[in-house]
């Protein structure tokens, strides 16, 4: 696995910090000035990636930033987490239609020769992540439209990441048990 580039790390850190930066900036800056952060994220995304779907995400972020600048509106800035979830859901769902699945691709980085049952398992995990992105994106949309900026920042800047971590950690624990069961069955057939 290749090490992450500094631009990629910066993009990840800015994306993670985005909701909190917007929340803390609300009391100090007009939305049009906060939109510069989203504009920077979009431009950095364009510099970092070569993949078309991330270019679509960057274009969406640029549109949200420009809407915020043009109307001096906060709502477009609050819709960025919705956009991120929609893009991730689309990528994961598309990988189910056009295999290998997103999780299979990740799994093959460490285990290039996956057995058929592992491929089936990675498809199920990819479906699980699609469901997560739908639910998370829905909550992000609801908080953007109807919650206070504090609740929006709390969910999108903390709770959503905690839920992702729980899903990731829970799946890792399940995967360990599934792999142990597969090994046990293989040993029993030998």
């Amino acid at each position: 696995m290749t090490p992450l580039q500094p631009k990629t790390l910066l993009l990840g850190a800015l994306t993670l910090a985005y909701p909190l930066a917007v929340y803390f900036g609300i009391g100090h800056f007009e939305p049009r000035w906060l939109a510069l952060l989203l504009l920077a994220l979009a431009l950095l995304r364009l510099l970092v990636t070569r993949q078309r779907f991330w270019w679509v995400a960057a274009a969406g972020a640029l549109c949200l930033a420009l809407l915020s600048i043009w109307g001096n509106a906060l709502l477009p800035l609050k819709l960025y987490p919705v956009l991120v979830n929609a893009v991730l859901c689309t990528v994961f769902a598309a990988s189910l239609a056009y295999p290998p699945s997103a999780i299979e691709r990740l799994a093959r980085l460490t285990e290039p020769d996956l057995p058929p049952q592992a491929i089936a398992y990675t498809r199920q995990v990819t479906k699980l992540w699609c469901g997560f992105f739908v639910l998370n994106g829905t909550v992000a949309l609801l908080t953007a439209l109807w919650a206070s900026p504090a609740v929006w920042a709390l969910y999108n800047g903390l709770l959503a990441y905690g839920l992702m971590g729980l899903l990731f950690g829970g799946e890792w624990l399940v995967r360990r048990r599934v792999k142990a069961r597969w090994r046990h069955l293989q040993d029993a057939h030998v």
Side-chain angles (χ1 to χ4, degrees), residues 100-173:
S101 70
I103 299 298
E104 180 184 341
R105 290 175 195 181
L106 292 172
R108 287 188 185 277
L109 293 174
T110 56
E111 294 183 42
D113 298 321
L114 291 175
Q117 68 266 27
I119 294 170
Y121 177 81
T122 60
R123 285 188 61 77
Q124 294 305 314
V125 175
T126 301
K127 291 176 187 176
L128 178 66
W129 276 102
C130 286
F132 175 82
F133 294 133
V134 168
L135 290 173
N136 194 49
T138 300
V139 175
L141 178 61
L142 294 173
T143 61
L145 294 174
W146 292 298
S148 69
V151 170
W152 173 83
L154 175 66
Y155 182 78
N156 292 286
L158 180 64
L159 297 177
Y161 298 128
L163 292 172
M164 282 183 234
L166 284 173
L167 179 55
F168 185 80
E171 187 279 321
W172 180 77
L173 291 172

Side-chain angles (χ1 to χ4, degrees), residues 1-169:
M1 198 175 340
T2 59
L4 293 175
Q5 299 296 317
K7 287 187 286 190
T8 304
L9 291 172
L10 177 61
L11 179 62
L14 287 173
T15 301
L16 289 173
Y18 175 81
L20 296 176
V22 169
Y23 173 71
F24 288 117
I26 289 171
H28 305 288
F29 304 101
E30 289 183 342
R32 67 174 41 106
W33 297 111
L34 293 174
L36 295 177
L37 174 61
L38 186 54
L39 192 63
L41 276 171
L43 294 174
L44 188 57
R45 171 76 63 201
L46 288 171
L47 291 173
V48 167
T49 190
R50 302 272 185 263
Q51 298 163 323
R52 256 187 313 174
F53 59 86
W54 286 120
W55 282 47
V56 171
L62 280 170
C63 288
L64 291 173
L66 293 174
L67 283 170
S68 182
I69 291 167
W70 180 61
N72 198 27
L74 185 59
L75 181 59
L77 300 178
K78 292 168 67 177
L79 291 174
Y80 181 64
V82 179
L83 173 69
V84 170
N85 279 280
V87 168
L88 288 170
C89 186
T90 301
V91 168
F92 276 56
S95 78
L96 291 169
Y98 303 101
S101 70
I103 299 298
E104 180 184 341
R105 290 175 195 181
L106 292 172
R108 287 188 185 277
L109 293 174
T110 56
E111 294 183 42
D113 298 321
L114 291 175
Q117 68 266 27
I119 294 170
Y121 177 81
T122 60
R123 285 188 61 77
Q124 294 305 314
V125 175
T126 301
K127 291 176 187 176
L128 178 66
W129 276 102
C130 286
F132 175 82
F133 294 133
V134 168
L135 290 173
N136 194 49
T138 300
V139 175
L141 178 61
L142 294 173
T143 61
L145 294 174
W146 292 298
S148 69
V151 170
W152 173 83
L154 175 66
Y155 182 78
N156 292 286
L158 180 64
L159 297 177
Y161 298 128
L163 292 172
M164 282 183 234
L166 284 173
L167 179 55
F168 185 80

